[in-house]
Amino acid sequence: ADGWILWNGSSTSITTFVSPQPVEATDNAFWDQFWADTATSVQDVFALVPAAEIRAVREESPSNLATLCYKAVEKLVQGAESGCHTEKERQIVLNCCRLLTRILPYIFEDPDWRGFFWSTVPGAGRGGGDEDDENARPLAESLLLAVTDLLFCPDFTVQSHRRSTVDTAEDIHSIDSCEYIWEAGVGFAHSPQPNYIHDLNRTELLKLLLTCFSEAMYLPPSSDSSNTNPWVQFFCSTENRHALPLFTSLLNVVCAYDPVGYGIPYNHLLFSDYREPLVEEAAQVLIVTLDYDSSTSSSPTVDGTTTGTAMDDVDPPGPDNLFVNYLSRIHREEDFQFILKGIARLLSNPLVQTYLPNSAKKIQFHQELLVLFWKLCDFNKKFLFFVLKSSDVLDILVPILYFLNDARADQSRVGLMHIGVFILLLLSGERNFGVRLNKPYSVRVPMDIPVFTGTHADLLIIVFHKIITSGHQRLQPLFDCLLTIVVNVSPYLKSLSMVAANKLLHLLEAFSTTWFLFSAVQNHHLVFFLLEVFNNIIQYQFDGNSNLVYAVIRKRNVFHQLANLPTDSQSIQKGLQRKKKTPEAISRTNSQDGVSMEGSRPAAPAEPGTLKTSLVATPGIDKLTEKSQVSEDGTMRSLEPEASQLSPEGNPPAALSDGELWSGEASQSQRDRRRLSSASSSGQWTPTPDWVMSWKSKLPLQTIMRLLQVLVPQVEKICIDKGLTDESEILKFLQHGTLVGLLPVPHPILIRKYQANSGTAMWFRTYMWGVIYLRNVDPPIWYDTDVKLFEIQRV
């Protein structure tokens, strides 16, 4: 038990602590040595109190461990009561805080101990005093309330408002904590003087909060995502009198943070930044408090009230979780501007690094920021509309595309790929997103993609092409999502560059080879998505898209081959044989990649041995989205599921794909069913002529065939007449051509909008806690404890 000896310098008391003989809770001299004497740091506590010893005490002297926890909480409660006016009291509070942060994970990992903090302690009444034990507070509640009080404790975690030292100290129970919000921003105009001691103290208390909330890590993922975390539930309830100022403090501290160092490049090299650890901790606490399944609850509508009849007025509007409630009710334009600018500034930080290396401090918490941005858009529709109202949304889009492109070869960053794609899927359900993409792309962030001149839409298509053709195998389940995003924005794209047009046709070419179409039950969906993209652009944006029309004409054989796809058994077998000759998932030949942008580095795979956490499966695209039809006036109307039972992709309802999950970490059986795996080897499914016919007959080729029928003879005639081999003349002809009256009647635009569901809620929970687990290495709060929510794996 050496660790504990160093801790308090007395070996006899340690032997007493670890021995099965209980020590009385009233023996203050014994217990005080755990927190009174030495000034330690949280790192010391982790070094001095080894895991094996905590487990030994838990098994062999449970009553002593229970008393230690109880006494440590009691000290925090006393500190909160007194207001921590002396240095000694502050030291005791911080030591108890560190000790609890160290011990809690070992309480959570043992199912028999998990209820311990929710049991009542004699004499700790809800109203103080010695009432009946009926009224006693569970230890967890006392702990959470003490920590929230301490987070607004003058001269400890916030600036005191006293005029002079002569004034009496502020009574912690009478102060209005809304006057002590940590940073200007939403709902608070005053920016307090930075105080690094206060920042350090807040960070330690928030670390303890996060550790309290981490009980979620020790429960296996369940399909029922509504089982709420009791710690978060209590913390975000009306019992917490500081809920509003704390929510605002966390949000403002994150969104106001500027890692560049007050706008002066290289400034961060001159002084150390006490704010960053606080900002990281605040971002993590914030996203955990917002872990809420909006699909099972009454979700706040755009005006902040809940959807329901007048009879529902008995309930307060919005969810019981006050943090979710406050987030959904932010509505002032200047608040939205502050939040969006802050998140965009922080997400762009790694990009600034690339063209002015080391000019700014590089932040590492972009995944937490993406989760926060997702929650904002998901819970607050007014915020979503604000984001899409101006081209500011592009300041979020470009960093996300940068992360997606950068992480595509790295297996340890599958989760980052998913959240980036989820956010773009959510945004793409709104017409304004497609419209914004037409803005020219001039920012030259060095990215490992071909050089092009064009719009943000071109950038999006080129990055998606890169992910599909040169990402790792684990990303295949995302292909549906990537193409759905392109379909959603396609009716609004005014003019694609030649580079992007060629990329789209290259994807069609790759996905329409016979071996690919016949080797898995849902592969043909990708072809349907791409044809839908071409149809939308030809029908709704023909005028500016001569590059795409030209690319379609050049690759017309791909469309003819699709129209004449063989459906007899012999040809199907022959098509499947071809796969064995070309094992490469998707041929990268003739994708005309050209030179990558200057200054870019190729996307690198994970270093061997990198730790990653597993993710649960996410729902298939049909569960993830619901179809909406765009009317003449631009409004959307949701399509009834029955009507779209046979979806345009033409998969009969019984097809495997409907219930099939795609996932970042699939089980072996799912991996066998993977899109690019040869179906025959898994023995689950073989393509039949009837099956091929069932979807081939629905391929939406009419518009493209008509276009080819009209334009190909004209283009050939120009070439013969003028002896042309020059593209520019043909493009000029196509630019001035028109197909008015020659094409079939335009089809209605179909948008697949993201819809909240418990499957994605569970995915977010595992992803978020996985990120928090891996990012907390100093000290390693959860390392080597028996976590159940995910597996820790090495690449």
Side-chain angles (χ1 to χ4, degrees):
D2 298 343
W4 303 78
I5 297 173
L6 293 169
W7 176 260
N8 58 33
S10 137
S11 63
T12 50
S13 54
I14 280 307
T15 330
T16 321
F17 183 61
V18 184
S19 78
Q21 194 56 45
V23 181
E24 286 300 318
T26 48
D27 184 353
N28 286 333
F30 174 80
W31 295 110
D32 284 351
Q33 39 190 5
F34 282 98
W35 34 78
D37 306 335
T38 43
T40 53
S41 70
V42 67
Q43 285 77 7
D44 293 342
V45 175
F46 273 72
L48 297 174
V49 184
E53 310 238 334
I54 303 174
R55 290 190 176 113
V57 176
R58 187 182 70 196
E59 305 311 322
E60 286 145 40
S61 30
S63 74
N64 286 346
L65 182 60
T67 307
L68 180 68
C69 291
Y70 163 62
K71 297 296 282 187
V73 172
E74 186 182 53
K75 285 291 170 200
L76 291 180
V77 171
Q78 286 167 3
E81 291 284 324
S82 72
C84 280
H85 296 303
T86 67
E87 196 45 54
K88 185 174 184 210
E89 284 178 287
R90 290 172 199 160
Q91 199 51 59
I92 290 175
V93 162
L94 290 172
N95 279 340
C96 290
C97 202
R98 292 156 186 162
L99 192 59
L100 285 166
T101 303
R102 180 60 173 142
I103 291 173
L104 273 166
Y106 297 91
I107 301 265
F108 294 151
E109 73 174 358
D110 184 336
D112 296 337
W113 273 83
R114 215 166 281 145
F116 167 71
F117 269 85
W118 294 96
S119 54
T120 50
V121 175
R126 280 176 194 269
D130 304 318
E131 302 111 339
D132 307 343
D133 286 342
E134 315 286 85
N135 211 9
R137 268 199 187 284
L139 200 53
E141 294 186 4
S142 306
L143 170 57
L144 290 172
L145 293 176
V147 171
T148 53
D149 275 342
L150 288 163
L151 285 167
F152 292 99
C153 184
D155 290 327
F156 180 52
T157 50
V158 291
Q159 215 67 52
S160 169
H161 290 183
R162 281 181 304 157
R163 292 285 165 272
S164 68
T165 45
V166 190
D167 286 2
T168 50
E170 290 135 303
D171 172 21
I172 195 158
H173 293 286
S174 61
I175 68 169
D176 174 4
S177 45
C178 285
E179 294 172 12
Y180 290 85
I181 288 169
W182 300 350
E183 184 57 79
V186 176
F188 195 65
H190 166 66
S191 188
Q193 218 24 60
N195 179 320
Y196 82 93
I197 299 287
H198 293 175
D199 277 0
L200 293 173
N201 294 342
R202 291 164 177 172
T203 305
E204 298 231 33
L205 288 160
L206 290 179
K207 218 183 260 314
L208 174 56
L209 266 185
L210 196 59
T211 311
C212 292
F213 297 158
S214 71
E215 184 180 319
M217 281 197 214
Y218 298 89
L219 303 170
S222 72
S223 52
D224 174 23
S225 60
S226 58
N227 50 6
T228 43
N229 180 330
W231 295 85
V232 172
Q233 193 175 10
F234 179 79
F235 181 79
C236 297
S237 73
T238 47
E239 294 266 2
N240 177 357
R241 72 187 182 101
H242 303 294
L244 181 60
L246 196 51
F247 167 78
T248 323
S249 294
L250 295 172
L251 184 63
N252 292 352
V253 156
V254 172
C255 296
Y257 178 54
D258 181 4
V260 177
Y262 310 102
I264 307 161
Y266 304 101
N267 203 13
H268 70 105
L269 301 173
L270 307 180
F271 63 88
S272 108
D273 178 0
Y274 296 100
R275 216 358 94 103
E276 190 186 21
L278 174 65
V279 175
E280 287 205 2
E281 215 65 55
Q284 292 179 359
V285 169
L286 198 51
I287 60 178
V288 170
T289 55
L290 297 170
D291 174 20
Y292 183 79
D293 181 359
S294 57
S295 68
T296 57
S297 61
S298 59
S299 61
T301 53
V302 174
D303 59 356
T305 57
T306 46
T307 41
T309 61
M311 295 301 293
D312 302 9
D313 289 346
V314 202
D315 290 323
D320 304 333
N321 176 323
L322 289 179
F323 278 43
V324 174
N325 202 331
Y326 298 145
L327 187 81
S328 67
R329 284 164 47 191
I330 298 171
H331 61 274
R332 289 172 34 207
E333 295 258 315
E334 53 270 42
D335 289 343
F336 286 157
Q337 190 60 29
F338 164 74
I339 294 171
L340 181 59
K341 279 271 178 280
I343 293 179
R345 175 177 60 245
L346 292 169
L347 285 177
S348 309
N349 165 273
L351 287 61
V352 177
Q353 297 298 325
T354 50
Y355 43 86
L356 262 184
N358 303 326
S359 61
K361 181 169 181 161
K362 186 161 185 177
I363 62 158
Q364 302 294 337
F365 55 98
H366 48 274
Q367 299 192 88
E368 292 92 323
L369 288 165
L370 290 171
V371 175
L372 178 59
F373 182 76
W374 169 270
K375 298 279 179 198
L376 278 155
C377 292
D378 195 20
F379 295 152
N380 190 324
K381 288 296 168 259
K382 279 187 172 171
F383 176 76
L384 176 63
F385 299 144
F386 176 84
V387 168
L388 294 164
K389 208 171 70 173
S390 73
S391 51
D392 287 353
V393 64
L394 303 175
D395 299 336
I396 300 284
L397 170 76
V398 173
I400 288 178
L401 291 175
Y402 173 85
F403 292 130
L404 290 178
N405 189 57
D406 189 55
R408 68 176 194 267
D410 182 341
Q411 297 230 0
S412 68
R413 289 155 81 194
V414 175
L416 170 62
M417 297 292 295
H418 276 71
I419 186 158
V421 172
F422 280 161
I423 290 173
L424 298 183
L425 178 65
L426 180 71
L427 295 174
S428 75
E430 305 297 332
R431 172 184 178 272
N432 266 354
F433 182 63
V435 174
R436 300 284 160 239
L437 290 179
N438 290 308
K439 189 176 176 182
Y441 176 67
S442 50
V443 204
R444 286 285 169 248
V445 177
M447 283 164 80
D448 173 29
I449 52 170
V451 181
F452 71 98
T453 305
T455 65
H456 285 75
D458 295 307
L459 177 68
L460 178 129
I461 288 168
I462 291 165
V463 169
F464 283 10
H465 173 271
K466 199 84 174 170
I467 294 168
I468 291 172
T469 56
S470 64
H472 57 79
Q473 296 294 87
R474 288 271 168 83
L475 299 181
Q476 283 153 18
L478 278 177
F479 292 178
D480 280 344
C481 249
L482 292 168
L483 293 187
T484 298
I485 294 165
V486 180
V487 173
N488 281 349
V489 301
S490 59
Y492 311 111
L493 305 183
K494 295 201 178 318
S495 161
L496 286 183
S497 69
M498 191 58 95
V499 178
N502 284 332
K503 296 295 177 219
L504 286 175
L505 278 138
H506 175 245
L507 289 178
L508 182 70
E509 211 174 352
F511 290 147
S512 58
T513 59
T514 48
W515 76 258
F516 183 76
L517 285 173
F518 297 157
S519 63
V521 71
Q522 72 282 32
N523 282 357
H524 61 278
H525 293 186
L526 299 173
V527 169
F528 277 84
F529 285 138
L530 285 163
L531 291 176
E532 207 176 325
V533 171
F534 298 137
N535 288 338
N536 281 341
I537 293 177
I538 292 166
Q539 288 281 17
Y540 292 98
Q541 299 289 350
F542 179 81
D543 286 356
N545 273 298
S546 51
N547 287 330
L548 183 74
V549 174
Y550 178 64
V552 167
I553 292 173
R554 276 190 44 220
K555 291 282 183 189
R556 55 190 179 276
N557 61 322
V558 179
F559 299 97
H560 291 303
Q561 280 165 0
L562 269 174
N564 300 315
L565 191 72
T567 54
D568 58 288
S569 305
Q570 203 181 351
S571 306
I572 293 174
Q573 283 319 306
K574 215 161 96 182
L576 287 170
Q577 293 310 309
R578 278 192 207 156
K579 183 196 175 185
K580 300 192 170 66
K581 299 196 192 88
T582 53
E584 181 55 74
I586 286 161
S587 83
R588 296 175 199 178
T589 50
N590 60 21
S591 92
Q592 301 138 333
D593 246 12
V595 190
S596 270
M597 294 174 70
E598 199 179 331
S600 67
R601 289 192 310 275
E607 292 285 319
T610 305
L611 287 180
K612 67 188 181 90
T613 53
S614 62
L615 294 164
V616 293
T618 46
I621 194 76
D622 50 342
K623 299 273 186 298
L624 204 58
T625 55
E626 86 187 336
K627 297 196 181 74
S628 297
Q629 199 169 309
V630 181
S631 325
E632 299 280 307
D633 60 358
T635 55
M636 290 198 196
R637 131 188 114 75
S638 175
L639 292 180
E640 292 304 311
E642 297 82 46
S644 58
Q645 192 65 72
L646 257 172
S647 60
E649 298 87 344
N651 56 314
L656 229 177
S657 59
D658 273 345
E660 181 153 28
L661 292 170
W662 44 261
S663 96
E665 300 291 335
S667 64
Q668 193 51 52
S669 64
Q670 279 171 295
R671 233 171 269 145
D672 292 339
R673 285 212 302 269
R674 268 292 159 66
R675 174 170 287 136
L676 295 181
S677 65
S678 146
S680 49
S681 69
S682 69
Q684 289 203 332
W685 170 85
T686 42
T688 63
D690 284 351
W691 172 78
V692 178
M693 281 303 294
S694 73
W695 54 262
K696 180 190 166 181
S697 59
K698 297 189 183 70
L699 283 168
L701 286 165
Q702 304 79 336
T703 302
I704 294 169
M705 288 309 187
R706 184 77 185 118
L707 171 134
L708 292 173
Q709 194 187 349
V710 174
L711 293 178
V712 170
Q714 298 182 355
V715 170
E716 283 176 340
K717 185 173 187 308
I718 295 176
C719 295
I720 294 163
D721 289 357
K722 304 203 172 171
L724 277 183
T725 47
D726 179 18
E727 285 186 1
S728 59
E729 281 289 329
I730 300 169
L731 283 168
K732 206 176 291 172
F733 162 72
L734 292 173
Q735 263 158 13
H736 298 105
T738 175
L739 290 175
V740 175
L742 296 170
L743 292 177
V745 179
H747 53 283
I749 296 173
L750 264 193
I751 301 291
R752 292 169 183 78
K753 286 172 81 92
Y754 167 81
Q755 57 171 355
N757 59 75
S758 42
T760 36
M762 199 64 227
W763 184 89
F764 271 98
R765 183 174 300 168
T766 51
Y767 169 60
M768 169 184 79
W769 279 114
V771 168
I772 291 171
Y773 177 98
L774 292 173
R775 300 257 301 103
N776 281 276
V777 287
D778 183 27
I781 300 181
W782 301 280
Y783 192 69
D784 271 349
T785 58
D786 189 13
V787 172
K788 292 277 195 298
L789 185 61
F790 44 77
E791 290 169 30
I792 293 96
Q793 302 159 334
R794 283 192 187 276
V795 174

